């Protein structure tokens, strides 16, 4: 049996097919300049053709990681990364692309959590991904929580500081507004008094320079608040932290860990933090796991 995982991103799409003899075929393509969703679906179909033949023909099932907000009917409600998808019947488009094969889709952060739990060999895990935004997911007893049919785990929109800055979603004090890569760089810019790039922040942390340490410390404190709060709710075996921004900075997880120790509740179970193991491949691997999951 052949299975296909698809990780849809704002600028590129990764596909990984596993054939009946465990042969693997992968491809990545970048979205064309947006003209319309019909052209985007045609580009996705071309990507599917590129992996289908090498994987032994048609697929038994397909799993798709999606960064967009999708309602229960399968319609895209919003996707800042590709605004033209708003209103797209994603479920219908995917079904048309794979006639006869079940297609399951879920939030990319949720599927990253599923993949990290599988790699770690644990049944209960929380994942936080820090990049352009803050995503994440919860796995309870080996299953996504709350589950694809009930919506995604919007960890980035946990309110960690009601007096905090305005988030892209319109609220104030969301984790994403405080701890994302752009939020951290904006804070670093204010503290240094001039624009700060990611590379400059990383170099300044290694030296270290006070403005860089202070800028990142506030982000890590916000992540610790979210991690400790989520641990109180679901009691995971571990919480993994990944994402391109977090992975590129020195001692990121240890910086968060210091704040979780400060927030520890007497008598409460310790929060176990770990670096994400799969890096940028977590959502794609999670999509494959979703495809292969029993119905």
């Amino acid at each position: 049996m052949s299975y296909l995982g698809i990780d849809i991103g704002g600028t590129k799409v990764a596909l990984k097919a596993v054939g009946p003899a465990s042969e693997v075929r992968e491809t990545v393509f970048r979205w064309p300049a947006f003209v319309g969703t019909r052209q985007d679906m045609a580009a996705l179909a071309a990507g599917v053709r590129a992996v289908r033949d090498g994987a032994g023909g048609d697929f038994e099932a397909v799993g798709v990681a999606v960064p967009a907000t999708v309602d229960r009917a399968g319609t895209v409600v919003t996707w800042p990364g590709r605004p033209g998808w708003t209103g797209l019947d994603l479920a219908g488009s995917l079904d048309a692309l794979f006639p006869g094969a079940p297609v399951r889709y879920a939030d990319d952060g949720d599927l990253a959590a599923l993949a990290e739990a599988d790699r770690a060999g644990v049944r209960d895990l929380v994942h936080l991904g820090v990049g352009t935004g803050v995503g994440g997911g919860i796995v309870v007893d080996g299953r996504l929580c709350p589950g694809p049919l009930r919506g995604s785990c919007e960890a980035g929109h946990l309110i960690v500081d009601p007096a905090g800055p305005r988030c892209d979603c319109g609220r104030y004090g969301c984790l994403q507004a405080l701890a994302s890569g752009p939020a951290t760089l904006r804070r670093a810019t204010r503290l240094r008094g001039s624009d700060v790039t990611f590379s400059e922040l990383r170099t300044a942390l290694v030296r270290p320079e006070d403005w860089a340490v202070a800028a990142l410390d506030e982000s890590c404190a916000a992540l610790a608040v979210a991690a400790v709060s989520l641990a109180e709710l679901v009691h995971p075996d571990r919480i993994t932290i990944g994402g391109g921004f977090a992975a590129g900075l020195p001692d990121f997880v240890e910086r968060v860990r210091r704040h979780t120790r400060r927030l520890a509740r007497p008598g409460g179970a310790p929060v176990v933090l770990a670096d994400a193991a799969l890096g940028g491949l977590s959502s794609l691997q999670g999509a494959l796991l979703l495809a292969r999951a029993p119905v």
Side-chain angles (χ1 to χ4, degrees):
M1 294 185 288
S2 300
Y3 296 91
L4 176 65
I6 305 174
D7 181 16
I8 295 177
T11 58
K12 62 183 180 181
V13 179
L15 302 94
K16 182 176 181 179
V18 179
S22 297
E23 64 273 25
V24 175
R25 190 169 178 84
E26 300 177 73
T27 191
V28 177
F29 72 86
R30 288 189 170 273
W31 289 118
F34 186 78
V35 177
T37 54
R38 180 176 298 180
Q39 288 80 2
D40 281 359
M41 289 301 106
L44 181 57
V48 171
R49 288 194 297 271
V51 296
R52 175 179 278 137
D53 293 343
D58 291 335
F59 300 108
E60 182 75 14
V62 179
V64 185
V66 184
T69 300
V70 182
D71 67 17
R72 291 193 179 192
T75 301
V76 175
V77 177
T78 181
W79 183 17
R82 211 155 177 82
W85 278 43
T86 300
L88 170 68
D89 177 10
L90 180 65
S93 299
L94 292 173
D95 286 342
L97 194 56
F98 302 100
V103 181
R104 303 161 188 155
Y105 56 87
D107 178 78
D108 55 351
D110 289 346
L111 292 180
L114 190 67
E116 290 292 339
D118 180 73
R119 172 59 65 91
V122 299
R123 301 282 293 173
D124 302 284
L125 180 139
V126 170
H127 174 72
L128 297 172
V130 185
T132 303
V134 177
I138 299 172
V139 176
V140 175
D141 196 24
R143 295 179 178 273
L144 293 175
C145 178
L149 295 180
R150 298 186 63 194
S152 60
C153 170
E154 296 287 354
H157 296 292
L158 286 173
I159 297 175
V160 294
D161 180 4
R166 186 180 178 91
C167 182
D168 292 340
C169 75
R171 284 199 306 228
Y172 288 86
C174 290
L175 176 62
Q176 180 167 291
L178 286 153
S180 68
T184 306
L185 291 175
R186 285 194 294 269
R187 188 180 306 116
T189 293
R190 289 197 303 272
L191 291 172
R192 192 174 76 164
S194 58
D195 288 344
V196 177
T197 66
F198 176 78
S199 178
E200 288 171 333
L201 176 64
R202 182 176 56 209
T203 300
L205 287 167
V206 171
R207 286 174 179 167
E209 296 188 31
D210 290 346
W211 62 266
V213 173
L216 185 59
D217 190 65
E218 189 170 335
S219 298
C220 292
L223 284 161
V225 170
V228 169
S229 299
L230 289 166
E232 291 284 6
L233 291 174
V234 299
H235 303 286
D237 295 310
R238 69 177 63 185
I239 297 176
T240 54
I241 297 180
F245 186 79
L249 295 178
D251 303 319
F252 192 95
V253 171
E254 179 55 34
R255 295 172 194 269
V256 179
R257 188 178 289 119
R258 287 197 288 268
H259 286 283
T260 63
R261 295 193 191 107
R262 180 177 58 83
L263 296 171
R265 177 168 58 87
V271 176
V272 179
L273 291 180
D275 287 289
L278 294 169
L281 299 175
S282 57
S283 295
L284 180 59
Q285 185 61 28
L288 260 177
L289 290 170
L290 186 66
R292 303 180 83 152
V295 178

